[in-house]
């Protein structure tokens, strides 16, 4: 029984519909230090993300449900990129003192339902109040089988792939900042930025399909993630400009405003789809991944750096354009 205090009532509401605490651990007992999408300790995949009000989400743009969903997806995508399944979470909530009671209650309900719907058990955390809202999650996951997908796994001869289409989140943010009057026209892009929808089991599917290369999620923009993969693996990556799966609605938006869709495809962050490499070239693999909306965009070579190749064979270097908070 929780004491009749505001903070305890809030915690109790978060835990009301909590997923069950299952007593099972990792199959493999690997260890991996900092430097990948997740660390691994004694087989547990571990990641942490923060979402700060007016930095990662704005309550005048988002519903409370969208803000919470975006935060959870940002954590789950890290586990997915390693080929894992999220299992347990430690969640921290800073309640904005200016939030009205109904908004606070909707945030709490969204947290409870968001983790429970995914089968993620909440095993601890903290609640505070402050001048801005904040969500903080430490997420633990396990691999169903095999070895994790790592940033360092790309090898010369691998093909490079992207799951899903590119540019949606960055384009949605641009609409909110520069053309809010057209938000209804490009609602799908706006909604994707506010609460990205991804295949949260994509990493598991890749392992099951035999993928054994490098992988990470696209959180800071494709240009930055490709450079991470190339640097971590000690290889050169060449991508084909014409193969980039730019989302059709991003193309339409860019035509409408006279913008360059490549800016959104290469440098738009918060996509949370996966970019990965793989050496398997058989038809079974191709059929399995293509049916999941995966696109081949390039090849891994000996060397270093990332280059974009145009249809005429010209090459330009792709520099990392990651967002920096500092």
């Amino acid at each position: 029984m929780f004491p009749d205090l505001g903070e305890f009532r809030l915690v109790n509401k978060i835990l009301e519909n909590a997923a069950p605490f299952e007593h099972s651990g990792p199959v493999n007992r690997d260890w991996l230090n900092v430097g990948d999408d997740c660390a691994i300790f004694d087989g547990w995949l571990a990641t942490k993300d923060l979402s700060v009000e007016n930095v990662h989400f704005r309550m005048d743009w988002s519903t409370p449900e969208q803000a919470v969903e975006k935060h959870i997806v940002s954590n789950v995508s890290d586990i997915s990129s390693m080929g894992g399944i999220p299992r347990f979470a430690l969640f921290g909530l800073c309640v904005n003192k200016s939030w009205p009671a109904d908004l606070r209650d909707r945030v709490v309900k969204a947290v409870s339902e968001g983790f429970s719907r995914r089968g993620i058990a909440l095993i601890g955390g903290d609640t505070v109040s402050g001048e801005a809202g904040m969500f903080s999650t430490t997420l633990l996951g396990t691999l169903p089988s095999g070895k994790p997908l790592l940033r360092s796994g790309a090898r010369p001869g691998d093909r490079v792939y992207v799951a899903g289409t590119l540019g949606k989140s960055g384009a949605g943010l641009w609409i909110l900042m520069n053309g809010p009057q057209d938000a209804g026209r490009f609602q799908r892009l706006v909604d994707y930025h506010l609460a990205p929808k991804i295949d949260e089991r994509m990493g598991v599917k890749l392992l099951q399909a035999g993928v054994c290369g490098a992988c990470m999620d696209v959180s800071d923009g494709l240009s930055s993630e490709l450079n991470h993969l190339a640097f971590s693996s000690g290889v050169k990556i060449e991508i084909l400009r014409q193969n980039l799966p730019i989302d059709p609605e991003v193309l339409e938006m860019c035509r409408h405003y006279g913008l360059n869709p490549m800016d959104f495809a290469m440098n738009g962050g918060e996509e949370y789809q996966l970019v990965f490499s793989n050496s398997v070239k058989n038809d079974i693999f191709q059929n399995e991944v293509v049916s999941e909306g995966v696109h081949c965009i390039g090849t891994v070579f000996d060397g270093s750096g990332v280059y974009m190749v145009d249809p005429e064979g010209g090459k330009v270097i792709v520099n990392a354009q990651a967002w920096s908070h500092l």
Side-chain angles (χ1 to χ4, degrees):
M1 182 69 178
F2 282 90
D4 190 22
L5 299 172
E7 183 176 351
F8 287 100
R9 289 197 300 271
L10 185 149
V11 171
N12 196 29
K13 286 181 179 179
I14 292 177
L15 296 176
E16 277 179 352
N17 301 306
F21 183 79
E22 297 181 358
H23 298 192
S24 61
V27 176
N28 299 314
R29 296 294 179 177
D30 294 326
W31 296 79
L32 181 69
N33 207 343
V34 65
D36 229 288
D37 278 10
C38 299
I40 305 177
F41 63 95
D42 202 22
W44 289 101
L45 305 176
T47 185
K48 182 177 185 63
D49 267 305
L50 300 172
S51 296
V52 179
E53 189 175 12
N54 299 322
V55 178
H56 299 94
F57 65 93
R58 286 174 48 170
M59 286 305 190
D60 56 336
W61 287 352
S62 302
T63 65
E65 294 78 13
Q66 287 173 322
V68 170
E69 184 70 5
K70 183 176 183 178
H71 171 71
I72 295 176
V73 168
S74 72
N75 283 270
V76 169
S77 67
D78 283 336
I79 298 290
S80 175
S81 73
M82 306 279 280
I85 297 173
R87 296 276 308 282
F88 303 114
L90 296 141
F91 179 74
L93 172 63
C94 179
V95 175
N96 187 327
K97 293 178 181 178
S98 68
W99 285 351
D102 64 325
L103 190 155
R104 182 195 63 211
D105 291 344
R106 287 173 66 185
V107 165
V108 168
K109 186 171 186 287
V111 169
S112 176
E113 293 181 351
F115 285 112
S116 179
R117 184 172 65 250
R118 293 170 167 88
I120 301 171
L122 286 167
I123 61 171
D126 194 18
T127 57
V128 297
S129 63
E131 302 306 314
M134 185 178 72
F135 314 135
S136 172
T137 295
T138 298
L139 190 60
L140 302 179
T142 55
L143 289 168
S145 62
K147 292 292 185 180
L149 296 167
L150 305 177
R151 296 181 185 182
S152 57
R155 299 293 180 265
D158 284 5
R159 297 288 186 261
V160 180
Y161 299 84
V162 167
T165 56
L166 298 170
K168 299 182 293 299
S169 183
L173 176 60
W174 192 95
I175 289 288
L176 289 168
M177 296 181 66
N178 300 284
Q181 71 280 359
D182 290 331
R185 176 172 179 173
F186 300 106
Q187 193 65 52
R188 177 171 161 271
L189 300 179
V190 171
D191 288 345
Y192 191 92
H193 174 72
L194 298 179
K197 295 184 183 302
I198 64 171
D199 184 343
E200 298 178 5
R201 289 294 189 269
M202 179 57 73
V204 172
K205 292 176 182 177
L206 294 180
L207 283 181
Q208 291 172 342
V211 172
C212 54
C215 188
M216 65 184 300
D217 73 331
V218 182
S219 55
D220 293 326
L222 184 62
S223 65
S224 297
E225 316 307 7
L226 288 170
N227 274 278
H228 277 304
L229 293 183
F231 178 79
S232 297
S233 299
V235 296
K236 177 175 70 173
I237 294 176
E238 292 187 2
I239 59 172
L240 302 176
R241 182 186 181 100
Q242 66 271 24
N243 283 20
L244 292 174
I246 303 176
D247 191 85
E249 197 161 340
V250 173
L251 294 173
E252 180 187 346
M253 188 208 81
C254 288
R255 284 192 295 268
H256 180 71
Y257 289 106
L259 302 171
N260 183 356
M262 293 298 295
D263 290 338
F264 297 105
M266 295 300 296
N267 303 322
E270 298 184 327
E271 291 282 350
Y272 301 119
Q273 302 283 4
L274 303 186
V275 55
F276 66 97
S277 74
N278 186 43
S279 60
V280 178
K281 303 178 181 66
N282 61 56
D283 291 340
I284 295 176
F285 169 75
Q286 295 289 346
N287 291 337
E288 286 182 354
V289 297
V290 168
S291 68
E292 297 290 344
V294 172
H295 308 268
C296 182
I297 63 170
T299 307
V300 179
F301 296 93
D302 285 314
S304 61
V306 179
Y307 295 83
M308 183 179 292
V309 183
D310 63 35
E312 290 73 41
K315 296 180 184 180
V316 295
I317 192 166
V318 175
N319 293 311
Q321 300 290 324
W323 166 260
S324 175
H325 288 281
L326 302 179

